[in-house]
Amino acid sequence: MITTKKYTNGFFIIILCYLFVFAPVQASDTHRKGIDILKKYEDKCYEHIRTASDSTLFYATKILEVSKMIESKQWESVAYQFMGSYYIKKGRMAVGFDYELKALTISESLKDWADVATISNNIGVFYFRDKDYHKAIEFYHKGLTSINRFMAESDTILLHQRENQVSMMFNIGEAYTILNENDSALYYLNESFFESLKYGFKEQEFYVIAIRSRVLFNQGKVKQAIQEIQEALAYFKENNNFDAFCEYEIWLADYYLTLDRYILAKEKALDVYNRADIKDSDFWKMESSKMLYQVEYKRNNIENAFHHYKEYQTIKEQIDNVDIKERIAKIKENYSSEKRESEISSLKTEQELNQKVLKQQRQFIFVMVLMFLLMVLGIYLLLKFYLNLKKAYSHITEKNNEIEAQREEILAQKDHLQEYVKLLDTKNKQVQSGINYAKRIQSATLPSRRKMEKLLDDLMIFYKPCGVVSGDFYYYSGKLYKNNERLSIVASIDCTGHGVPGAFMSLIGNGILNEIIKVKNIHSPKEILEGLHQRLQTTLSQYETYGVQDGMDITVACINYSRKIVTVSSAKNSWVYFQNGKQQVVKGDRRSIGGMDTRFNSFINHEIDISQGRTKFYFYTDGYQDQLGGPKDRKFMANNFRNLLEEIKDLPVREQESVLDTTLNNWRKYQGEPQTDDILILSFTVE
């Protein structure tokens, strides 16, 4: 028994020793090992953050896990800082900003001013990337104030802390540079530059040189700016700082663009665009696409410019995109909540009404009983009166119930109809919105009148769609060169139908014409028509049973400025030209474009020698001459239309359009006829 007690006491002594000696030692050892692991992960993050490698996110996540395990708020802040920097460098600004704010909240609660400075600087970078430069300067100043406070309170100042101070002064100078506040920019840049020289911060020194080039650029000293930024770029490229290299390479492209040195500007932009080491960085893809768009636009390469602009917009939308599913879910939740509240309110109202009716019924019965008691002496008359009254009340109640039921049914039908009206109104707005957007798309595909007027004299375009969008459209190729000859191609097209179906056909036709003329370099009008016919049949599967048998009528002209010849070919549409004051009418070929065409005759080219004198052409669809109206409510007719062209051919362009519009409106007003078809009249002069 004594032996057992002795062993029991020894067991408790061992447990107490473990609890008070070994357990704290083990906890301390776990914390120390955790710190060692965190430092290794931190080094890995610093190693990968420069190139925005996905490994940064991996090690930052590991830091977050370990920091929570050892309950270290300071290291938790470090993890969020790396995550924020990673997403900002990847172009996912909103996500990066959220992580940086988490880190800032933790560091401020710990009064860790060095971390507050670093995080504030990173948030400033977010606003800088988002082009909110005033907000960026606000956070940069907060970062600079925090690092100065930290250094003032510290007994020893480490070199990397001074480097952070220099970086923040540099960032403020850079933001002021973008805002073109050059004096403020130079103050902070010079402060940063002198500190960099003093402490041997080589990289910061070249950052200042790069930004200083922007100040020179703002002051109009472009050549000096190019020399400065090239020096900085050489350093960043040699030291594999691809983030800085990409940013300032785009600046250099901008400098060259200002001097109209387009080839060099494009070369620098492509250098950023094609770098394999930034292939995952959406932000630099977006910036280089934007610069390529600006270069190609200035070079008048509209197709290439449009391609780069479209790519820029796509990436920008991805970066700026918000979580739409979350928003929809929230809207649905709000809708359900409102619907439940509405149902509860309706039930409450109905309950109150029933209680009111019940209360009235009780009051009535009470009065009746009281009257019965008071008139006991005249029971016979009272009984007879009561029976009659009860019968009348029953009849009235029945009628009231019927009326109430009818009223409720009418109200239900009214509510149902109102729901349908709202639904129809919503659908109508959606359809109208879609059609209006389609109009914007169609308008964007039409050639610019200003560009057409550069090569076509006395350009007149009378364009009146029947609806919001049109099945008629006109085409212009711009300058073309073939065998050292200067050409341009112009066409007027009437697609099957009008409105939305016609607009779809117009977009298809415009795309095929661009493919034939600008990609395949086919410039003969009859070959263009033949290619358009075959391509449209293939596109719409018109030789298949399910194919769409729509098509178009078209007049195409190729103007050869070098040979002084205009070659015209037409499918169905007739056209008119005036030469030496005389009107010439040319019938279109009886073939149409598209559909199950059984005619195998080739389209015909008509060559007009314009060297003989000033020649005026009129291409038109059948909408004007087919317009109903007049005293007898008939079509305007082709002869009347050509006579009208004869009358207005020598008028200025705007007056021609005014006469055509006035004549058309007057013709329609005779019988109050609406416009029956899309209308297009295209006129130009060559000599």
Side-chain angles (χ1 to χ4, degrees):
M1 186 69 180
I2 295 173
T3 306
T4 305
K5 187 175 182 180
K6 179 180 177 182
Y7 286 138
T8 304
N9 292 336
F11 178 76
F12 282 110
I13 291 170
I14 292 171
I15 292 175
L16 290 172
C17 289
Y18 177 81
L19 291 175
F20 290 100
V21 180
F22 297 108
V25 170
Q26 186 176 6
S28 176
D29 187 55
T30 301
H31 187 274
R32 186 174 61 254
K33 287 181 179 179
I35 296 295
D36 292 338
I37 293 170
L38 287 168
K39 288 180 178 178
K40 290 180 182 179
Y41 288 152
E42 183 184 34
D43 292 338
K44 289 290 186 180
C45 285
Y46 278 122
E47 178 182 342
H48 295 289
I49 192 63
R50 284 183 177 274
T51 57
S53 169
D54 292 342
S55 299
T56 308
L57 188 61
F58 173 81
Y59 288 111
T61 305
K62 291 293 183 183
I63 291 174
L64 184 62
E65 292 172 356
V66 176
S67 66
K68 288 184 176 180
M69 185 177 68
I70 66 172
E71 298 180 351
S72 173
K73 285 290 183 181
Q74 186 176 10
W75 279 101
E76 186 177 342
S77 173
V78 171
Y80 289 137
Q81 289 177 54
F82 280 120
M83 290 176 177
S85 297
Y86 167 80
Y87 282 113
I88 288 173
K89 285 179 179 288
K90 282 290 187 182
R92 296 178 63 183
M93 298 297 191
V95 179
F97 183 70
D98 285 342
Y99 280 118
E100 292 291 351
L101 281 180
K102 286 182 181 179
L104 182 61
T105 303
I106 294 172
S107 296
E108 285 182 331
S109 68
L110 297 174
K111 295 185 179 180
D112 188 344
W113 303 119
D115 258 7
V116 170
T118 302
I119 298 164
S120 297
N121 186 65
N122 289 340
I123 294 174
V125 171
F126 164 80
Y127 281 113
F128 187 90
R129 291 277 180 84
D130 207 37
K131 296 183 170 45
D132 189 347
Y133 302 114
H134 292 288
K135 202 71 176 176
I137 290 172
E138 177 185 336
F139 275 92
Y140 287 155
H141 273 299
K142 182 176 181 178
L144 184 60
T145 302
S146 298
I147 196 66
N148 288 339
R149 181 175 180 178
F150 170 80
M151 293 169 70
E153 294 175 357
S154 299
D155 296 328
T156 57
I157 301 172
L158 300 177
L159 195 62
H160 81 270
Q161 292 162 354
R162 292 206 178 271
E163 187 176 4
N164 288 342
Q165 182 189 37
V166 169
S167 296
M168 291 168 196
M169 289 189 291
F170 158 80
N171 286 341
I172 296 171
E174 182 181 24
Y176 277 126
T177 302
I178 299 299
L179 292 172
N180 211 5
E181 297 181 21
N182 298 317
D183 292 336
S184 298
L186 284 174
Y187 171 78
Y188 284 100
L189 289 173
N190 288 336
E191 287 289 320
S192 178
F193 187 74
F194 293 140
E195 291 294 314
S196 298
L197 291 175
K198 181 178 178 180
Y199 294 103
F201 300 144
K202 203 68 177 176
E203 185 174 77
Q204 300 294 348
E205 179 183 338
F206 282 95
Y207 269 117
V208 173
I209 292 172
I211 301 302
R212 200 165 57 197
S213 77
R214 196 70 180 189
V215 177
L216 291 170
F217 178 78
N218 292 343
Q219 295 172 340
K221 303 172 183 178
V222 183
K223 292 184 178 179
Q224 294 179 34
I226 290 174
Q227 291 175 356
E228 290 246 320
I229 204 168
Q230 284 177 334
E231 181 182 356
L233 281 168
Y235 174 84
F236 292 130
K237 186 173 183 180
E238 181 180 349
N239 289 275
N240 296 325
N241 189 341
F242 298 129
D243 219 34
F245 177 81
C246 292
E247 180 175 6
Y248 300 131
E249 188 82 339
I250 288 177
W251 281 21
L252 181 56
D254 189 29
Y255 297 172
Y256 282 132
L257 185 62
T258 303
L259 296 175
D260 295 336
R261 299 173 71 178
Y262 302 127
I263 295 177
L264 286 172
K266 182 176 181 179
E267 176 185 333
K268 298 304 175 184
L270 283 172
D271 193 22
V272 175
Y273 185 88
N274 294 323
R275 289 194 71 87
D277 39 72
I278 64 161
K279 63 183 179 181
D280 294 325
S281 178
D282 292 337
F283 179 79
W284 293 121
K285 276 278 188 184
M286 179 183 73
E287 292 296 311
S288 54
S289 296
K290 181 180 179 182
M291 179 54 64
L292 287 168
Y293 153 70
Q294 292 173 349
V295 173
E296 295 294 350
Y297 184 83
K298 273 205 168 186
R299 296 177 70 187
N300 207 24
N301 292 335
I302 303 303
E303 187 173 354
N304 291 340
F306 177 74
H307 167 75
H308 290 299
Y309 181 78
K310 184 177 180 182
E311 185 176 22
Y312 161 73
Q313 285 292 347
T314 301
I315 299 173
K316 188 174 186 300
E317 288 173 2
Q318 291 173 354
I319 291 174
D320 295 338
N321 186 36
V322 295
D323 192 353
I324 294 175
K325 289 183 179 179
E326 190 175 303
R327 290 177 60 197
I328 291 174
K330 190 173 182 181
I331 290 169
K332 287 182 176 179
E333 182 181 350
N334 291 340
Y335 169 76
S336 299
S337 176
E338 291 174 1
K339 187 177 180 181
R340 285 195 298 272
E341 289 178 3
S342 176
E343 290 173 350
I344 291 169
S345 176
S346 298
L347 290 171
K348 187 176 180 182
T349 303
E350 185 178 353
Q351 186 178 9
E352 289 176 353
L353 182 63
N354 290 335
Q355 288 176 351
K356 188 175 181 181
V357 172
L358 183 62
K359 184 178 180 181
Q360 290 175 347
Q361 289 176 345
R362 287 175 178 173
Q363 290 174 347
F364 179 77
I365 293 171
F366 176 78
V367 170
M368 293 299 297
V369 171
L370 182 62
M371 288 176 65
F372 176 78
L373 293 174
L374 292 173
M375 296 181 180
V376 72
L377 296 176
I379 191 164
Y380 174 74
L381 296 174
L382 180 62
L383 180 60
K384 188 175 181 180
F385 173 76
Y386 173 71
L387 291 173
N388 291 334
L389 183 63
K390 186 176 180 181
K391 184 177 180 180
Y393 173 72
S394 176
H395 182 70
I396 291 170
T397 303
E398 184 179 349
K399 290 295 182 183
N400 284 341
N401 290 337
E402 290 178 3
I403 292 171
E404 185 65 23
Q406 291 174 356
R407 188 179 72 85
E408 290 178 356
E409 184 178 355
I410 291 170
L411 288 175
Q413 291 177 352
K414 179 184 175 183
D415 292 340
H416 193 58
L417 289 173
Q418 286 178 340
E419 289 178 5
Y420 270 111
V421 169
K422 289 180 181 178
L423 180 62
L424 289 173
D425 185 54
T426 301
K427 294 295 183 182
N428 183 56
K429 287 179 180 178
Q430 291 174 349
V431 171
Q432 191 61 40
S433 176
I435 293 173
N436 289 336
Y437 192 75
K439 180 183 178 182
R440 289 172 56 194
I441 295 173
Q442 187 178 48
S443 298
T445 62
L446 293 175
S448 165
R449 182 167 185 158
R450 178 176 55 82
K451 293 181 180 179
M452 293 176 71
E453 287 174 342
K454 289 181 180 180
L455 292 178
L456 301 174
D457 294 335
D458 298 335
L459 178 65
M460 190 274 290
I461 302 175
F462 185 74
Y463 186 49
K464 288 181 72 69
C466 185
V468 178
V469 290
S470 174
D472 288 4
F473 70 101
Y474 52 94
Y475 177 86
Y476 180 63
S477 67
K479 292 181 182 179
L480 298 172
Y481 294 92
K482 186 173 184 180
N483 299 327
N484 296 324
E485 293 181 350
R486 188 162 62 97
L487 312 171
S488 66
I489 293 174
V490 63
S492 66
I493 304 96
D494 180 2
C495 298
T496 302
H498 53 263
V500 175
F504 269 109
M505 286 296 295
S506 73
L507 293 176
I508 294 171
N510 188 74
I512 296 174
L513 285 172
N514 276 324
E515 177 186 344
I516 293 170
I517 295 168
K518 295 184 177 180
V519 178
K520 296 183 178 180
N521 293 318
I522 297 174
H523 302 142
S524 171
K526 70 176 185 179
E527 294 179 11
I528 291 171
L529 295 183
E530 194 63 50
L532 177 62
H533 175 68
Q534 295 174 4
R535 188 73 174 82
L536 189 63
Q537 286 184 322
T538 303
T539 301
L540 299 181
S541 305
Q542 292 182 335
Y543 283 109
E544 304 292 341
T545 55
Y546 56 83
V548 178
Q549 299 301 317
D550 287 330
M552 57 188 70
D553 301 336
I554 175 173
T555 303
V556 181
C558 176
I559 306 170
N560 191 318
Y561 296 95
S562 302
R563 294 173 54 199
K564 302 292 184 183
I565 290 176
V566 177
T567 306
V568 185
S569 186
S570 177
K572 284 288 182 77
N573 284 344
S574 298
W575 51 283
V576 172
Y577 71 95
F578 294 89
Q579 194 172 64
N580 298 324
K582 186 177 180 181
Q583 184 186 94
Q584 302 291 338
V585 179
V586 183
K587 297 286 187 180
D589 294 332
R590 299 317 299 167
R591 288 183 62 190
S592 185
I593 301 298
M596 294 291 290
D597 187 9
T598 57
R599 300 173 186 268
F600 298 100
N601 296 331
S602 299
F603 292 103
I604 299 173
N605 276 344
H606 301 271
E607 291 191 354
I608 311 300
D609 185 0
I610 60 174
S611 64
Q612 297 180 9
R614 188 176 179 85
T615 306
K616 191 173 192 68
F617 291 85
Y618 284 90
F619 295 166
Y620 48 86
T621 61
D622 58 3
Y624 201 102
Q625 61 196 38
D626 288 349
Q627 177 61 50
L628 295 174
K632 298 182 179 180
D633 200 17
R634 295 181 179 177
K635 292 183 179 181
F636 191 77
M637 303 303 290
N639 286 335
N640 291 333
F641 175 65
R642 290 166 188 160
N643 292 336
L644 181 60
L645 295 182
E646 182 76 42
E647 294 174 9
I648 67 172
K649 71 178 188 301
D650 296 323
L651 295 176
V653 169
R654 298 301 178 188
E655 291 186 22
Q656 289 189 42
E657 294 176 0
S658 177
V659 171
L660 286 168
D661 192 44
T662 301
T663 304
L664 180 68
N665 289 334
N666 290 339
W667 183 258
R668 288 171 46 213
K669 286 178 182 177
Y670 273 107
Q671 304 293 336
E673 287 284 356
Q675 186 174 330
T676 55
D677 198 1
D678 299 317
I679 296 173
L680 171 61
I681 303 170
L682 176 66
S683 172
F684 57 91
T685 302
V686 281
E687 56 179 330

